Amino acid sequence: MSASVSPILSATRANAPVEPQRIAVAAPLDGWLGPLDEIPDPAFASGMVGDGVAIDPTGSVLHAPCAGVIAAIAATGHAVTLRLEGGAELLVHLGVDTVAMGGRGFMPLVAQDQSVAAGEPLIRFDLDAIVTGAPSAMTPVLLLSAEEWTLESKREPGPVTVGDVVMTLRHIGAAAGEASQPTASADDELVREVSVLLRHGIHARPAARLRQVATSFDAGVRMEIAGKSASLRSPVGVLALGVKLGDRISLHARGAQAADVLDALEALIASGMGELAHADEKIDEKSGVEPARVTASVLRRATAIAADGTLAGVVAAPGVAVGQAVRYRLGEVEVSAGSGDAATERALLDETLAQLRLKIAAESEGAPAHAASILSAHAVMLEDEDLLAAAHEAIAGGASAGQGWRVAIGTQVELLLRSGDARLAERVDDMRDLERQVLCALIGGDAAGFSLPENAVVIAEDLLPSQLMALDPQRLTAICLVNGGPTSHVAILAAGLGVPMLVAMGTALDGIADGAVLVVDAAAARIETDASEERIARVRQQLAALAARRAAAREAKGPCHTADGTRIEVFANLGSLADARQAMENGAEGCGLLRSEFLFVERPQAPSVAEQAETYQAIADALEGRPLIVRLLDIGGDKPAPFLPIPAEENPALGLRGIRVCLAHPELLEQQVEAILRVRPAGQCRIMVPMVASLAELRAVRAVVDSVALRLGLTEPVSLGIMVETPAAAATADIFAREADFLSIGTNDLTQYTLAMDRGNSAVAADIDGLHPAVLRLIGLTCEGGSRGGRWTGVCGSLASDPMAVPLLLGLGVAELSATPAQVPDIKALVAGLQIERCRQLAADALECASAGEVRELMRKFLEEQGA
């Protein structure tokens, strides 16, 4: 964001237009600001619902981004729409698919039609519940009603606190909106009654889909229920109707294409839009929420240390560590009383800020990308006009430079604390970090932030990315948080630093004394508060051995072998060109899975052959000739594509998805195959067929590949393999191996189909574990079948990135592992220390276990012995 727009809102200016016809929208949450396309939800990421920004939250209270009236609040408490002066409408949607949580973890603090002030608390929520019960905590802040308003500017990605301006709205006048209205006719109004079969009723995403369809026809459409009506052009109006599963609505259309738009809307609603309810699903008549999913909201998870001295958490960054507990606190910096001359103090502050900006710019140049963005955000905050004006005002009133800066920061902190939530005091440290840097610079001190002892295990309520970056990585051993989530930006930073991190550990962390020796075992998702000296010594030996292996793996860019010389290829899973570059930096030997659907989802039409070929070629070039395995388009189920509507299915996971979609639309398949075969050098790209269940499907794809290759004049054979994701494919792997060139196991889907547990269902997701003996047996069966046909078998699912799983996979016969780019060095280091015969014995033992828990305990002991 430019320096001319303040990123901090004062108490009096939070809702004031930046200038006439403009409204500044503030961050409603503490957290990390990012673009919409980071949200793992096509409707939000594509802007279908509306334009705006996304915030990965670190707090527990949603605040009003500006003053307005509550236009709608979800019955489940997960979303709120605010109508601003001038008619603009903002939607804030806490997390992704949180409607499915049925209200668990959400406590609305306001009601519909209530007027609210900027910064006023709207919803109290349990971040841990969102992290564990929803696909993502990323929260979109969206401009919905855009006919008379447009989004003029957005703040650059980085840390934000409640009150920071994140985007600016500009009024463009009624004319623009009127010009976009469909041509009305004098025809009679047509009416169509429709039953709503969507599991969660009509919430934000379905409302956006309805608007998208309605505005593509020359007709005006409104929805009516129980005497209330709303235009489909206004998603917020539709949300306010509170349409639930089983409701009967009427659609009223008038215009030249009234009949056509009603047909399209009726078909869209009947399809369920990916949320079709089963015939036996019931709803609560009063709330519209499935009763089984409604539980009391919990804002701070109560936990206790077990009798054996362990405390469980959620893994945010892998690893094992030993260190002393250090509670995260920042001490005060002594501030000079100053010279007494306002002009001198003002000049001192301005010069200090300028020098600090230069220092931050210099640090950014050599910092990793994620760290550079945080430093850049700090630099922007130092240029904030409101902060500077507040400091200058205090100095004019007699304060010193340091006192004036502290007053300016304190005013902003006060805005956060007005919510009445004492825990927010733990979350204003991002502002305090900036305050400390300036105050220390004023007195010539070192703003190192929080000083750590050697081997520190940092314990905190929450931790922001900037706070982590201020810690000395040489002294930081591990991080344990009362709250937090495994997908947060601070978790990503911790993983990048190689620092084990556990989150959502609850109140029991409060009872751990400073200086207590802790063993942090992320592999077992726990800390040990009473470990014996022998146990501590073993872990330290394990860490020393791991460090040596990891260093060797980073140095060795060549082929990966086990300790006894068995060749194991370590590839990376990719979803973008940036992923390919990271994989190369980390020593990947190629790409074992390119998720090609990133080119197809959430766009009005399929990408052209030229566009696809250009993207595949760029990724192939980044891999510098190394193998690139491209998975054919894998949509359907939980991955829809707007340009390819799939009829409603009672169970989409078992319906038209994967290769079945491609075979049903042969033109798409042929175009993608042609784009892949255009990559040079010829032969670098291999093709992988997703969700195969029968040999006939593989043969059909082979026929298309051969036909395209012949048309392109290619004479060399094209490598064509299958992705083993169904029990059927695993059980008949020997048959597939007669004609497939390779087999790669997608353990995520294989696990859910084997255990009959939907990985998108929060009620059972915690029990889905790829180390279940049944899944391991199918992996072994696949490897055995592939070996019979002389074909190699790889794993491209999440088990390939799990240190506990890797020895078992090798023991079962897996010859290639395709991990996340960040995990490649660790997986290579782990493999280099393994003996194949020992892995085979482990695998045999694991197949006899009764549960995934028993397998993990078996592997935990093995990894301890290995020092891994």
Side-chain angles (χ1 to χ4, degrees):
M1 191 179 75
S2 66
S4 64
V5 181
S6 167
I8 307 295
L9 289 181
S10 67
T12 58
R13 295 187 61 203
N15 190 41
V18 178
E19 58 188 69
Q21 300 300 305
R22 287 175 171 80
I23 296 178
V25 178
L29 298 156
D30 293 339
W32 183 279
L33 181 73
L36 288 182
D37 60 16
E38 287 189 0
I39 301 177
D41 182 285
F44 290 132
S46 67
M48 180 192 300
V49 180
D51 196 7
V53 296
I55 298 176
D56 195 358
T58 57
S60 61
V61 178
L62 175 71
H63 299 259
C66 43
V69 176
I70 303 298
I73 189 161
T76 49
H78 70 285
V80 62
T81 305
L82 196 64
R83 183 175 295 113
L84 315 184
E85 185 177 356
E89 294 169 335
L90 292 177
L91 168 69
V92 185
H93 192 287
L94 286 163
V96 173
D97 275 344
T98 41
V99 64
M101 294 173 65
R104 179 175 58 87
F106 299 98
M107 184 184 297
L109 306 175
V110 292
Q112 188 166 327
D113 299 326
Q114 177 180 332
S115 295
V116 295
E120 185 173 336
L122 303 181
I123 299 172
R124 200 176 294 274
F125 60 92
D126 180 0
L127 182 58
D128 298 334
I130 295 176
V131 167
T132 57
S136 172
M138 289 289 285
T139 295
V141 182
L142 306 173
L143 170 64
L144 288 183
S145 183
E147 279 83 1
E148 297 187 19
W149 289 87
T150 186
L151 203 155
E152 183 176 65
S153 64
K154 302 179 187 179
R155 182 183 178 121
E156 292 297 318
V160 292
T161 55
V162 174
D164 293 358
V165 170
V166 294
M167 59 187 188
T168 304
L169 311 182
R170 180 169 61 87
H171 190 259
I172 57 178
E178 290 165 0
S180 66
Q181 295 294 326
T183 304
S185 74
D187 294 343
D188 292 338
E189 182 177 73
L190 301 183
V191 181
R192 189 80 53 85
E193 289 197 354
V194 181
S195 292
V196 175
L197 304 177
L198 283 74
R199 180 177 293 108
H200 307 299
I202 297 180
H203 53 97
R205 283 178 300 161
R209 292 283 300 278
L210 291 170
R211 182 186 190 279
Q212 186 181 47
V213 170
T215 55
S216 65
F217 289 84
D218 184 13
V221 192
R222 61 186 176 88
M223 180 184 295
E224 188 172 297
I225 183 173
K228 297 185 294 182
S229 177
S231 168
L232 291 195
R233 288 181 162 268
S234 172
V236 66
V238 173
L239 292 174
L241 296 178
V243 178
K244 306 184 298 295
L245 167 64
D247 280 348
R248 187 84 173 165
I249 61 172
S250 58
L251 299 174
H252 301 249
R254 186 186 297 274
Q257 294 182 298
D260 294 335
V261 72
L262 289 179
D263 288 342
L265 291 169
E266 183 178 22
L268 181 63
I269 295 172
S271 76
M273 299 183 237
E275 300 179 12
L276 190 66
H278 299 303
D280 59 350
E281 288 191 52
K282 305 295 182 183
I283 61 169
D284 184 288
E285 291 296 330
K286 294 181 179 180
S287 68
V289 177
E290 296 169 67
R293 296 192 177 189
V294 180
T295 60
S297 295
V298 180
L299 297 177
R300 198 169 191 262
R301 196 165 70 95
T303 54
I305 296 174
D308 63 357
T310 61
L311 174 62
V314 176
V315 180
V320 179
V322 175
Q324 57 177 310
V326 179
R327 202 160 298 279
Y328 184 79
R329 301 186 186 93
L330 285 176
E332 292 290 322
V333 178
E334 291 296 326
V335 179
S336 168
S339 63
D341 179 69
T344 300
E345 295 300 311
R346 175 170 174 156
L348 175 60
L349 177 61
D350 290 350
E351 176 62 22
T352 300
L353 292 176
Q355 291 299 320
L356 189 54
R357 284 195 291 269
L358 290 175
K359 178 176 178 288
I360 289 175
E363 291 174 349
S364 298
E365 289 181 4
H370 52 263
S373 65
I374 295 172
L375 291 168
S376 175
H378 274 190
V380 170
M381 293 172 73
L382 289 174
E383 296 175 343
D384 177 72
E385 293 181 347
D386 275 3
L387 275 178
L388 194 58
H392 286 170
E393 183 179 351
I395 290 171
S400 68
Q403 290 168 342
W405 183 250
R406 175 163 280 175
V407 167
I409 292 287
T411 300
Q412 306 308 321
V413 169
E414 182 65 23
L415 290 174
L416 302 180
L417 301 179
R418 283 181 182 174
S419 68
D421 187 344
R423 290 189 300 138
L424 284 177
E426 300 288 338
R427 301 192 183 93
V428 299
D429 284 338
D430 200 32
M431 293 294 293
R432 293 300 191 195
D433 279 351
L434 189 60
E435 175 190 42
R436 186 182 185 89
Q437 290 183 60
V438 174
L439 294 181
C440 286
L442 282 167
I443 62 175
D446 179 17
F450 188 73
S451 180
L452 294 178
E454 294 286 345
N455 300 319
V457 176
V458 169
I459 295 176
E461 189 93 5
D462 279 307
L463 200 64
L464 292 174
S466 57
Q467 296 167 352
L468 173 55
M469 289 185 62
L471 300 177
D472 183 352
Q474 302 303 317
R475 294 172 175 263
L476 179 62
T477 296
I479 301 168
C480 297
L481 301 183
V482 173
N483 297 316
T487 61
S488 66
H489 284 90
V490 74
I492 295 171
L493 286 172
L497 292 170
V499 176
M501 181 175 175
L502 294 174
V503 298
M505 303 196 76
T507 55
L509 274 184
D510 298 339
I512 296 177
D514 279 1
V517 178
L518 304 175
V519 172
V520 180
D521 187 354
R526 69 186 185 187
I527 61 173
E528 301 170 23
T529 64
D530 192 26
S532 67
E533 291 186 7
E534 291 180 351
R535 164 66 172 156
I536 292 171
R538 287 199 309 272
V539 174
R540 284 178 174 154
Q541 291 174 355
Q542 173 185 347
L543 290 172
L546 176 61
R549 289 199 304 272
R550 183 179 292 161
R554 289 186 185 278
E555 288 295 323
K557 297 288 186 180
C560 179
H561 296 82
T562 62
D564 53 6
T566 302
R567 178 75 171 96
I568 302 295
E569 292 181 308
V570 179
F571 287 8
N573 293 341
L574 308 179
S576 67
L577 179 58
D579 285 349
R581 291 169 177 157
Q582 182 187 9
M584 288 298 293
E585 291 174 2
N586 287 340
E589 300 179 60
C591 168
L593 167 63
L594 175 63
R595 301 181 179 93
S596 66
E597 51 272 10
F598 77 93
L599 281 166
F600 291 81
V601 296
E602 288 311 310
R603 43 188 300 165
Q605 59 188 21
S608 66
V609 171
E611 181 183 350
Q612 291 185 62
E614 181 180 4
T615 302
Y616 301 146
Q617 186 66 62
I619 293 174
D621 291 344
L623 294 178
E624 299 176 359
R626 292 168 176 80
L628 171 57
I629 298 178
V630 183
R631 179 175 67 187
L632 293 173
L633 180 60
D634 184 13
I635 60 172
D638 58 348
K639 291 177 283 189
F643 66 85
L644 199 64
I646 296 175
E649 299 174 300
E650 186 165 342
N651 193 335
L654 300 180
L656 199 62
R657 62 167 299 189
I659 194 56
R660 299 167 189 168
V661 175
C662 293
L663 293 175
H665 299 271
E667 70 286 354
L668 278 178
L669 176 59
E670 185 170 338
Q671 290 169 6
Q672 185 175 25
V673 168
E674 178 178 346
I676 295 170
L677 296 187
R678 286 188 179 276
V679 173
R680 295 294 178 269
Q684 180 182 359
C685 280
R686 305 169 186 173
I687 299 175
M688 183 160 63
V689 186
M691 199 59 66
V692 174
S694 72
L695 192 59
E697 292 168 331
L698 176 62
R699 286 173 174 169
V701 176
R702 175 73 77 179
V704 173
V705 171
D706 290 345
S707 173
V708 173
L710 180 64
R711 176 161 53 83
L712 296 179
L714 300 178
T715 56
E716 294 297 318
V718 177
S719 180
L720 179 67
I722 67 166
M723 195 164 177
V724 178
E725 301 170 272
T726 65
T732 57
D734 58 328
I735 298 174
F736 277 107
R738 298 170 191 166
E739 301 186 27
D741 293 310
F742 61 89
L743 296 84
S744 186
I745 303 171
T747 54
N748 300 356
D749 270 326
L750 181 61
T751 299
Q752 78 161 345
Y753 288 132
T754 302
L755 302 182
M757 292 181 179
D758 181 0
R759 54 192 171 120
N761 186 331
S762 59
V764 298
D767 295 322
I768 298 177
D769 193 330
L771 291 189
H772 191 288
V775 179
L776 295 178
R777 289 180 180 229
L778 287 176
I779 293 173
L781 193 61
T782 302
C783 293
E784 181 183 340
S787 178
R788 272 194 236 163
R791 306 303 185 191
W792 61 264
T793 299
V795 170
C796 58
S798 60
L799 285 189
S801 300
D802 186 346
M804 279 197 170
V806 167
L808 295 176
L809 297 177
L810 302 193
L812 290 169
V814 170
E816 178 249 29
L817 301 167
S818 193
T820 61
Q823 283 290 98
V824 166
D826 287 349
I827 297 303
K828 291 181 76 173
L830 176 60
V831 170
L834 297 175
Q835 299 277 345
I836 285 296
E837 281 305 319
R838 181 71 177 98
C839 291
R840 288 171 180 160
Q841 182 57 54
L842 270 174
D845 294 342
L847 295 182
E848 297 303 318
C849 289
S851 67
E854 287 188 17
V855 174
R856 289 199 173 273
E857 181 61 22
L858 171 72
M859 295 310 300
R860 186 184 67 79
K861 292 178 180 177
F862 169 73
L863 292 177
E864 279 186 8
E865 295 170 5
Q866 289 285 114

